[in-house]
Amino acid sequence: MSIIDKAVEANRNYAKNYKPAPGGRPYPKIAVVTCMDPRLSDLPGILGLPEGDIDVIRTGGPAVTEDVLAELIVSNRVLGTTEILLLNHTGCGFTTFTDDELNAKLSASTGDASPAPMRFFSFRDPEQNTREQIDKVRSHPWIAKDVPVRGFIFDMETGLLQEVQPIARSTSA
Ligand SMILES: [Zn+2]
């Protein structure tokens, strides 16, 4: 039996005690952008926040792509979240290859190079990655200026968050 088949079967049990959330829509308070890594799935535990308060946007890395920016804007402007937390982590799989390497490897192993070059948003340094993310989100004109945008690195060894200071912005104006 495949994992998906097992999950579909388990869902029948889940539905027996399922209670729909009141209000018919979500009321998240904070948007969290984090990596697809399953070790970051317990955000209520890691952040001590109720599940319903967290709008979770996940990509590998995480990468703050155009799609992620669009989701943050919806989270902020449509759903009403008031803070943005960018959550990187140590030991990310996306630091273990470069986009060039993975493109070459997949082209060779599949014998089909037609999708290359794909962007996988690999990176080397989680601190630098976080700083670039903060800058990208902060500088978007549709993210409200009064919404805090803060970046952290989750340490896989200790379980602790470490804040990353943003790139100092020149105030020449
Ligand atoms: Zn990761």
Side-chain angles (χ1 to χ4, degrees), residues 34-37 39-40 59-62 88-95 123 156:
T34 196
C35 185
M36 64 201 258
D37 191 312
R39 296 172 294 178
L40 290 161
T59 59
N88 285 250
H89 67 103
T90 60
C92 185
F94 284 75
T95 60
F123 61 98
M156 284 293 177

Side-chain angles (χ1 to χ4, degrees), residues 75-171:
S75 181
N76 185 201
R77 299 284 187 174
V78 180
L79 298 175
T81 53
T82 57
E83 300 191 28
I84 295 173
L85 194 161
L86 306 168
L87 185 54
N88 285 250
H89 67 103
T90 60
C92 185
F94 284 75
T95 60
T96 61
F97 54 81
T98 67
D99 280 23
D100 284 349
E101 284 165 6
L102 194 55
N103 273 292
K105 187 177 169 184
L106 293 170
S107 297
S109 68
T110 64
D112 187 348
S114 64
M118 280 191 75
R119 286 213 60 189
F120 295 104
F121 299 95
S122 63
F123 61 98
R124 282 283 176 236
D125 175 10
E127 271 191 50
Q128 181 59 23
N129 198 43
T130 308
R131 276 194 286 272
E132 287 169 11
Q133 291 166 353
I134 298 170
D135 196 49
K136 223 174 195 176
V137 175
R138 184 72 287 168
S139 61
H140 198 289
W142 287 354
I143 300 285
K145 294 293 166 240
D146 59 349
V147 169
V149 178
R150 294 169 64 182
F152 294 82
I153 297 173
F154 179 80
D155 186 322
M156 284 293 177
E157 299 301 316
T158 63
L160 285 168
L161 295 177
Q162 193 207 320
E163 184 153 17
V164 175
Q165 294 311 316
I167 303 164
R169 316 202 90 205
S170 66
T171 49

Side-chain angles (χ1 to χ4, degrees), residues 18-99:
Y18 176 74
K19 303 246 185 328
R25 57 152 284 190
Y27 292 94
K29 295 180 176 153
I30 178 171
V32 177
V33 181
T34 196
C35 185
M36 64 201 258
D37 191 312
R39 296 172 294 178
L40 290 161
S41 292
D42 182 21
L43 288 175
I46 291 170
L47 302 173
L49 296 168
E51 199 171 66
D53 285 3
I54 315 172
D55 220 359
V56 186
I57 301 162
R58 297 184 81 159
T59 59
V64 175
T65 61
E66 282 298 304
D67 290 349
V68 168
L69 285 168
E71 286 148 15
L72 282 173
I73 290 160
V74 170
S75 181
N76 185 201
R77 299 284 187 174
V78 180
L79 298 175
T81 53
T82 57
E83 300 191 28
I84 295 173
L85 194 161
L86 306 168
L87 185 54
N88 285 250
H89 67 103
T90 60
C92 185
F94 284 75
T95 60
T96 61
F97 54 81
T98 67
D99 280 23

